[in-house]
Amino acid sequence: MKKWLKKVWHWIDDRSGISELIMPMLRHPVPPGSKWSYVFGSATLFCLILQIVTGVGLALLYQPSSDKAFESLQFITNQAVMGKWLRGLHYFGASGMILMVGIHMMRVYITAAYKYPREMSWISGVVLLLLTVSMGFTGQLLRWDDNGVWSAVVAAEQMGRIPLIGKYIARLLIGGDTLGGQSLSRFFAYHVFLFPGLLILFVTFHLYLVLRNGISEPPKPGQLVDPKTYRAWYKDLLKTKGVPFFPDAAWRDVVFGVATLLIIIVLAYFVGPPAVSKPPDPSIVYTKPSPDWYLLWIFALFALMPPAIESYVMFFGPIIVIGLLFSLPFISNKGERSPIKRPWAIVGSIATIIIVASLLVAGAKTPWSPNFKTKMLPLSVVNTTDTMAIAGSRLFYDKGCLYCHKVKDYGGKVGPELTYIARSLNAKQMTIRIVNGGDNMPAYGSSLKSHELNEIVAFLKSRR
Ligand code: HEC
């Protein structure tokens, strides 16, 4: 048996040259002392592979059309064999990938590994960061529920505000002037063809560069990078002190990568994927939807900033941030690499973490984001025997009122609490408000039937 296997392997290897390709990669020498801080790049790759595998699995079951998407997602979650788990893996895999990309970038920045000759690794890395975030953004729309759809609407509206070209970018993004079925096919195409294709292309290039230029050596204070002498010095370092990538350095990558995957598997199993809230209802316009966590902080930033400067920040903010990221290796590509001698790198990194973390906390609690996770009002809270009012309490949930209004311990805080609304408003005032909407409250006049309106008002009238 063993002999036979050996023969098969020889045939494959002789005809394909696979070991000639792989062996130099595994054996290539790396600088000594590359420690645990070097594992985040490969952990990102582990996550990407998980995303591809689970993504293919989901694509087999998902139907990218506006009348089927929500249904097929319900099917995946509730009926398909291991479907819920698959969605969980894909969701936490995405979160893990974004987290790992972020940490990897920060490590490279803190140890100035982007300096000569690895400028291009940094630049392709920034492209990979943008692609990863784009994947997250397009992916959440594919859930085709309130949250995903309205996040995309807000993003399209924000892009639309960019002077001159905004309208065209928004149209390119959602495939028309309004969000609809065509946007879903478009986002699906971005999410399963365009972005993954580019992602794999740039990852390959990124890895090729690692092989070509070598892994950066752990920085030492006082050891300066000089483009004139660096390559010769690095070659000598590898010759005298280098260790083979496999197994001397690779075992850490494997241990950490597998641990990352295990955490994702456990989270996917025990926490599960985000619930699919409700199919989007175009008659209800949410002004402040709540996207997944890695985008939530950007939404929080825009919500907290004075509306007058929002358009400018929206236009110049990304240009400045992305421009700075791309130009970093050109601002300084030689000299000191040690973080001890570059305290600003540490201060900058810590400040970034604090700002993003506090925006995330703000985004998670803020009263301006509707609470899409709210449960239906239980009868103990509805607390009336009037059948009309009970029907109204159901509509109060179904029509999304509860997302924005609090009743007892249920609901969101965008609008005023309505627990005892009948004490301050009469039926006519309530009707006027519901039909006409108001500041941040959508007008329901055209989307409620008259008996539905009466039932909701009956419910609100019972709140005293
Ligand atoms: C997107 C969030 C949002 C949704 C959804 C929403 N509301 Fe409101 N609602 C508000 C806001 C904000 C106000 C305050 C508006 C104002 O002061 O002009 C408000 C005000 C009200 C008021 C007046 C409260 C007062 O104390 O003056 C009533 C009654 C009301 N909403 C009922 C409803 C009902 C019924 C629904 C569902 C059919 C609903 N709302 C859906 C945000 C919302």
Side-chain angles (χ1 to χ4, degrees), residues 400-401 404-405 414-416 418 421 433-434 439-442 444 456:
C401 315
C404 296
H405 290 288
V414 179
L418 300 181
I421 185 64
R433 174 56 83 223
I434 298 169
D439 186 21
N440 255 349
M441 156 127 177
Y444 280 86
I456 291 180

Side-chain angles (χ1 to χ4, degrees), residues 2 43 56 82 102 137 140 169 172 215 217 238 268 280 329 361 364 394 406 414 437:
K2 214 171 153 192
V56 170
M82 298 203 295
F137 176 67
Q140 85 180 1
I169 296 187
L172 183 72
I215 297 172
E217 72 287 356
L238 289 189
V361 173
R394 298 248 163 77
K406 230 174 128 170
V414 179

Side-chain angles (χ1 to χ4, degrees), residues 255-277:
V255 168
F256 187 77
V258 169
T260 309
L261 291 185
L262 280 179
I263 293 173
I264 292 173
I265 290 170
V266 167
L267 283 174
Y269 191 80
F270 288 104
V271 182
V276 192
S277 59

